[in-house]
Amino acid sequence: MALSNKTKAVLLGPLNKNNPIIVQVLGICSALAVTSKLEPALVMAIAVTIVTAFSNVIISMLRNTIPNRIRIIVQLVVVATLVTLVSEVLKAFAYDVNKQLSVFVGLIVTNCILMGRLEAFALGNGPWPSFLDGIGNGLGYGWILVVIGFVRELLGSGTLLGYPIIPKSFYEAGYQNNGLMMLAPMALLLIGVIIWIHRSQNKELQETA
Amino acid sequence: MNRENNVYTILYASIMVIIVAVALAFTHQSLSEQQTKNVNIDKMQQILRSLHINASTNEAESKYNELIKNSYLVTPQGEKVEGSEGTKTSDPAFATDIAVDASKGLPVFEAEIEGRTIYILPMSGKGLWGPIWGYIAIESDGSTVYGADFSHQGETPGLGAEIATPQFGGQFDGKHLFRDNTFTSIAVVKPGQSVSDRDYVDGISGGTITSKGVNAMLLESVGQYKNFLMNLNAAKK
């Protein structure tokens, strides 16, 4: 299926110049919380993508019927329902993954990216562009999570997805895992570094002092 | 129709809530059997892990039925509660969650390994972010630990969550809960430190609160079984 330039921008924009984490700086909280290991970061990225895409579609379909005064409540109910469904399905069919993510699946409800996309996009666009926007933003959020999860698990635990990567001989030679990597502040610093690199490549994003 | 109308708003909200409630109730109903089964299998896997057996989801149930010979409730005085025996998931020992309600009695699972009887006790306590729990398998002398397994709901990955690893649980093997016939529990200390009045294991660096939680859990949960364990010890002598 050929995508017009506009839909392409909707889908791919959030991966780079309109990224929810590094440009809009939304959803930082969960980006700090679930990235100390790669696997929860991956599953979280997938779960957020699914929930963003489908809540976007639902709100977009309802957009001409929602009473303006209670629209935030309506959005919240839709998001909360979807998150509960995801969590129920995980509990029934992927119990181990659900156990690992524990409270963070429930916390998708509070992810600012979701509400941000619903308010900024789904309320003013049709279901199909909204779906793409949801996928785009979910992936834009997801790839940052995966990058941070990768760096933190590799340097903090010396493993990736639970498999040891750093050879034993390194440890015998005095190498130590960086405990700071396991702590949330380090994730914030890493996001800062990514933002720094990203802005140095995209001059138009730099704020003039 | 006017979308800003009060009647429309109230109707909209009510209908939405009803639809959502029905949808969620239906999903929960249709998935709950599978979920309960998962929870039970998970519990069996945890009990088996305290016996150093890593059973996959598929084989957990048969392995559990093969090894667990008896399970029942005991009173805080250490006596078996009448009529509480049975190893099925619906029987009191398996169904009792000591974190919620232990008024009917404390669950004990008896396993037979290499001809010896091992007693498995559940534990429940608080970590940093939420509940922690585990199973401790004890030899028939009522004091020597055969194995232990810990689980948590939401401890920090890489830090407190490390209590669920075999490296942490494995440290308990061969430690003693009793010293000079008094219940001392097993201390969880900062790595590198030691205590002299009882057996100890290393806690998790960077997971201090969770480690303290495990320490308190051992003291309190296993402490409830003090009389039961002393009876075992007395019967052995």
Side-chain angles (χ1 to χ4, degrees), chain A residues 117-131:
Chain A
R117 290 334 289 166
L118 294 177
E119 277 285 299
F121 199 91
L123 280 176
N125 291 281
W128 174 241
S130 298
F131 179 73

Side-chain angles (χ1 to χ4, degrees), chain A residues 179-199:
Chain A
L180 190 57
M181 277 289 168
M182 291 331 279
L183 304 176
M186 201 59 209
L188 194 62
L189 289 180
L190 284 174
I191 293 181
V193 171
I194 296 177
I195 293 179
W196 179 35
I197 298 171
H198 187 248
R199 301 230 162 160

Side-chain angles (χ1 to χ4, degrees), chain A residues 132-164:
Chain A
L132 293 179
D133 180 78
I135 297 276
N137 274 283
L139 294 178
Y141 166 83
W143 81 259
I144 303 285
L145 244 68
V146 169
V147 168
I148 298 171
F150 179 87
V151 175
R152 285 181 75 187
E153 185 170 351
L154 184 62
L155 300 181
S157 316
T159 59
L160 281 179
L161 293 172
Y163 298 104

Side-chain angles (χ1 to χ4, degrees), chain A residues 33-34 36-37 40 62-70 73-75 77-78 80-82 84-85 87-96 99-104 157 179 182-183, chain B residues 3-10 12-13 16-17 20 23-24 27-29 31-32 34-35 38-40 42-43 45-46 49 57 129 133 151-159 162 206:
Chain A
V34 300
S36 58
K37 289 268 159 77
L62 295 175
R63 72 185 188 281
N64 293 324
T65 68
I66 300 173
N68 199 33
R69 273 181 296 175
I70 57 163
I73 302 176
V74 174
Q75 291 164 7
V77 170
V78 169
T81 310
L82 282 172
T84 315
L85 288 180
S87 143
E88 290 275 330
V89 170
L90 282 179
K91 256 186 231 161
F93 300 111
Y95 190 77
D96 288 335
K99 246 191 347 185
Q100 263 203 338
L101 283 176
S102 62
V103 296
F104 294 115
S157 316
M182 291 331 279
L183 304 176
Chain B
R3 273 207 274 158
E4 303 314 311
N5 186 326
N6 278 345
V7 177
Y8 179 80
T9 309
I10 292 171
Y12 194 95
M16 180 183 69
V17 168
V20 164
L24 287 183
T27 326
H28 185 74
Q29 281 295 324
L31 294 179
S32 72
Q34 182 68 31
Q35 291 174 353
N38 284 339
V39 171
N40 285 342
D42 186 52
K43 187 167 176 177
Q45 283 178 313
Q46 290 173 25
R49 272 205 303 270
T57 320
W129 304 116
W133 63 95
S151 306
H152 62 94
Q153 188 186 66
E155 298 307 298
T156 323
L159 299 175
E162 298 291 304

Side-chain angles (χ1 to χ4, degrees), chain A residues 49-61:
Chain A
T49 309
I50 292 172
V51 174
T52 326
F54 286 100
S55 59
N56 257 1
V57 170
I58 292 172
I59 289 295
S60 168
M61 289 198 291

